[in-house]
Amino acid sequence: MLNDADETPHLARGEGTAAGGETAAGGADGPRDGSGDLHRLRLYSYLTAPERQTYLAIMRLFTSTLLADLGAGEVAAALAAAERRGEIDEGESRLETVVDRLEQLARWGNLVPGRREPAASIAEFTRSRVRYQVAKLAMRVQRDVDGVLTVADGAREVSRELLPAIEQGLADIQRTLGELLAAEHGRGPEATSARTLREQLAQQVTTLFLQHDEFAAAVRDFYAYLGSVIARYDLAPAEMSGFKHMLLEYVELIAKDVLRHSEPIVERLGALNRQRSQLLSLLGTGELRTRGADTAAPASATDSSGNVLVPRETRSGQTELMERSPGRRAADWDGLTGWFIGRPGRPSEVDGLRDATSRAITALLGNVKRVTGVGGVDPGRRRDLLTLAGWFDAATPETAHDLFAAAFGLFSARHLALANEDDTPDPGRTWPEGGQVEVEVNVRTRGERAPAGQLPRLSDDPLGRAELLEEEDRRKRRRDAAVRELAAASSDLAGARLSGDALEMFCELLTLAGASRDVPSEPGSAGDPITGLTLLLEPRPDGGAARIGSALGTLELHGVDVRLRVGEALEVHEAVDEPQAAADAPEANAVRDAGLPDEGARW
């Protein structure tokens, strides 16, 4: 029995197939059109056919072993056991039915017909049947299908240890490439050391791309799961708590790891991209090479002219010698570079990861606000509730009870409205006959729970305002004292004993000065615009360290020299403050003589 999805074999239409089920309709160098994509998409046809259970059992039988070569009788015997277990429908293991299923899979391109079964006579040959092998792309399709059917529904764990492994792998490739180029230049490409380094380079490249593919796939799966649950309205409190923990801790760790390791990875990728042509040449990418260029190539890897068969970069739909390992094409390195380094108009995956994390946390806060908020109907559920109200309006009394129990889980449709305090419940009165609850117009029409009308004016608080002004004045005095202390210690920072406020001011200027530099070899500066105090950072080629003494310990800054420069505004400010300080000196002495705590002693 043939399936109606496709009754005409593709071989009858002249569509040749290569080993592995790949079509060569366009030729090796011909233009690619939509026919190749359509042919590959037909490999998924058996998953939606009515007899998909039988097709799945047949494809699992072919993909369970390597180089499977099965005939209809062997497939029927295996399906008979599956039929007894109830995995396929009854009658699907009959030989005639199995032959139809195998022929249909061959039409779709999942199976490749091969030799006929051996026969001892002409009569047996006419009754013999074709044996089948699984196509390469069909093997991948079935492998992906089994993976989808067995994967868990929850979030996929992202292996954070792969990022430092990728960074180390790039460093190893860069080091091995330099050693290999030096060995070939000194001893020649056929030397034993060069051959060993070439194999080591190939291993490192393959490992690097496998690690990155695993990490990128895990990140995509994890954020796909986040996207599927991020806007759910039916999250229970326990689910919301777990989701919040996963976002605020696990996602943040992933984002921080990616950002921390991205910078060294970008630097090493930039260095390797400048040597990409040499790297790909050493890995064997290119056109045919003469046999003399590679005497280590086996005879089976050469053609009739003695040339070494080296696969070229392929496109979908072409028939080539073999599929290249990852990292042997320029497109592979472009994809790896694009994951970490963005281009104009095409941001990198690292930027996309940062944006996705921000959107996920924003959506979580919105869900928390919705769950913990009080009020009436949620605006996003207005259409659903109107549909439910229409069902109630058209339902019979018996159906209304079942509908209410299914919608609200209270298992009763009586007394929907709240009774007044002075009324006693009447069990004999149904909910349509009960009293009605008045709903405000803005809630009923627009779903807005905010009260309407003019907002009340904010009351004046003179005591609170005076307290804030006093606190701000104290903060300014402490900052001025810290600036004057730094100015006094500018000539000898190593021997100074900076207070906590002065050290905090110094660290603030140090952070701004460091941020003003693009690379560590450049000088930087940052200043206070009010007082004119400026901190200067200058690189030290000798690698020494600058020391800043404080009451909390000694701060050491390696590779830079730190200087403080006093501006004109600070000098004028100190000259104006000296008479005031002299006038306040008797009062301060009186406070110390009396044993009272000084205001500035706390700082």
Side-chain angles (χ1 to χ4, degrees), residues 215-226:
F215 179 77
V219 169
R220 286 194 296 267
D221 291 347
F222 180 78
Y223 277 86
Y225 170 76
L226 288 186

Side-chain angles (χ1 to χ4, degrees), residues 51-201:
E51 304 85 5
R52 54 183 171 273
Q53 295 295 338
T54 304
Y55 289 130
L56 278 173
I58 294 175
M59 291 303 299
R60 285 170 179 162
L61 180 63
F62 275 92
T63 57
S64 60
T65 58
L66 299 177
L67 298 178
D69 183 38
L70 303 176
E74 298 167 337
V75 175
L79 292 182
E83 183 177 342
R84 288 192 296 269
R85 294 192 299 267
E87 298 176 358
I88 60 177
D89 296 336
E90 185 177 355
E92 288 293 322
S93 62
R94 292 168 41 194
L95 186 59
E96 295 79 5
T97 304
V98 172
V99 171
D100 292 340
R101 301 289 181 259
L102 294 175
E103 291 178 352
Q104 183 60 54
L105 287 172
R107 293 187 184 95
W108 283 328
N110 300 93
L111 297 180
V112 179
R115 61 182 177 86
R116 283 183 172 270
E117 295 179 349
S121 62
I122 297 177
E124 291 182 4
F125 178 79
T126 57
R127 293 193 301 269
S128 63
R129 296 180 175 85
V130 177
R131 302 181 69 84
Y132 295 90
Q133 297 83 32
V134 65
K136 167 199 162 184
L137 295 182
M139 173 81 74
R140 290 194 177 185
V141 170
Q142 183 60 37
R143 187 171 59 205
D144 293 341
V145 168
D146 291 334
V148 170
L149 294 178
T150 57
V151 72
D153 293 334
R156 179 180 177 180
E157 182 182 3
V158 179
S159 300
R160 298 168 49 206
E161 61 274 7
L162 289 178
L163 272 176
I166 293 173
E167 179 183 351
Q168 183 62 37
L170 289 171
D172 295 340
I173 291 174
Q174 189 175 4
R175 183 180 62 255
T176 305
L177 179 60
E179 295 176 356
L180 178 56
L181 293 176
E184 288 190 350
H185 180 73
R187 301 181 181 179
E190 300 304 325
T192 304
S193 58
R195 206 173 302 170
T196 303
L197 288 173
R198 195 179 296 112
E199 294 179 358
Q200 182 179 355
L201 180 65

Side-chain angles (χ1 to χ4, degrees), residues 23 35 64 79 134 154 158-159 190 194 215 257 262 282 294 324 337 374 385 493 507 512 522 553 597:
T23 178
S35 60
S64 60
L79 292 182
V134 65
V158 179
S159 300
E190 300 304 325
F215 179 77
D257 286 347
S262 293
L282 292 172
D294 192 355
R324 296 293 288 163
T337 304
V374 294
L385 293 177
L493 290 175
C507 292
L512 296 176
E522 293 182 357

Side-chain angles (χ1 to χ4, degrees), residues 323-337:
E323 182 181 355
R324 296 293 288 163
S325 300
R328 271 63 175 177
R329 302 180 305 163
D332 297 338
W333 288 94
D334 289 338
L336 178 63
T337 304

Side-chain angles (χ1 to χ4, degrees), residues 493-494 496-500 503 548-555:
L493 290 175
R497 295 283 294 175
L498 299 179
S499 62
L503 182 61
I548 297 90
S550 68
L552 303 178
T554 302
L555 174 63

